[in-house]
Amino acid sequence: LAARAAGHIMLNDARESTTSVLLPSVLSMCEVKNDDAQFAIGEAIACAWGGANVNADKVLTTSFTTLNAEVKARAAEDAEASTSMDVDEVKSRVANYTADVDPRRHVHNAVVDAIFNQYIYSSRVEKRCAACVWLLSLVMHTDNHPRMLSMLQEAQEAFGSLLGDSNELTQELASRAMSLLYEMGAEVQQK
């Protein structure tokens, strides 16, 4: 899919000259009614965002298929090793994060604007569903990025508003996202 290719390009080249061409095209696919395509678009957005646990070498030299497959494999490895994130490190990274100096801030601003200001509260079912998929992708794939961690409350409010959506996929994904956010918050609170 073209969106996945664009995401892989932006993974390595986050210059504004590159992302200003590719990202608007990816974000404009909010009306595509194919669920698999929306998940691929969500992965592309996560790659553009930065902080996804993948790099070009991994994509090109291993049996990498999707970020979702990587998340499942990483979860299985983490369960075997029974590791958890270092909460103090996460809190420190969020506290020390300065959006103004982040080289991907233009990507973050465009994605946040598209998800929160244009699509998630739209009257169009397919736009809300797309925004839900994309935001869930960000939560799942960039969960250690300080910018993502700093907006968990906004994400929780957005997902909460979608729990009663008329689209079953949107409802299911919003519920899944709320569970993920709860687990992330519980892990921080346990420390």
Side-chain angles (χ1 to χ4, degrees):
L1 190 72
R4 188 168 281 134
H8 290 163
I9 291 169
M10 292 183 286
L11 175 67
N12 273 346
D13 186 358
R15 291 176 300 177
E16 198 161 357
S17 61
T18 302
T19 59
S20 67
V21 173
L22 295 175
L23 192 58
S25 297
V26 170
L27 295 173
S28 72
M29 292 191 251
C30 65
E31 294 185 29
V32 172
K33 293 182 181 180
N34 180 303
D35 299 343
D36 291 334
Q38 287 302 338
F39 283 101
I41 295 164
E43 288 190 9
I45 291 169
C47 286
W49 185 275
N53 191 23
V54 67
N55 58 38
D57 287 339
K58 189 172 202 168
V59 170
L60 296 173
T61 62
T62 68
S63 60
F64 176 87
T65 54
T66 66
L67 286 175
N68 283 333
E70 283 297 305
V71 166
K72 289 175 185 173
R74 189 175 59 196
E77 290 171 8
D78 288 351
E80 288 177 16
S82 65
T83 59
S84 63
M85 67 177 174
D86 182 350
V87 176
D88 291 331
E89 178 189 341
V90 170
K91 286 181 178 178
S92 173
R93 284 186 19 231
V94 171
N96 295 325
Y97 176 71
T98 307
D100 293 340
V101 296
D102 190 320
R104 293 180 184 262
R105 71 184 169 280
H106 59 283
V107 172
H108 301 165
N109 292 341
V111 169
V112 167
D113 178 60
I115 290 175
F116 290 102
N117 297 333
Q118 296 176 40
Y119 303 140
I120 212 145
Y121 301 110
S122 171
S123 61
R124 306 272 312 266
V125 173
E126 65 274 6
K127 288 184 178 186
R128 289 192 310 271
C129 186
C132 185
V133 170
W134 300 352
L135 187 55
L136 177 59
S137 293
L138 286 175
V139 169
M140 288 175 57
H141 304 306
T142 66
D143 60 338
N144 285 317
H145 191 285
R147 176 66 172 107
M148 185 66 232
L149 291 167
S150 71
M151 55 186 264
L152 292 180
Q153 182 67 36
E154 293 172 88
Q156 184 177 19
E157 290 172 12
F159 287 127
S161 75
L162 297 173
L163 289 173
D165 197 83
S166 60
N167 181 307
E168 286 184 37
L169 177 62
T170 303
Q171 286 180 19
E172 182 181 327
L173 294 177
S175 176
R176 186 164 159 213
M178 293 294 280
S179 294
L180 280 171
L181 292 172
Y182 177 78
E183 288 173 18
M184 292 168 72
E187 209 169 319
V188 171
Q189 294 301 323
Q190 290 171 2
K191 186 72 178 178

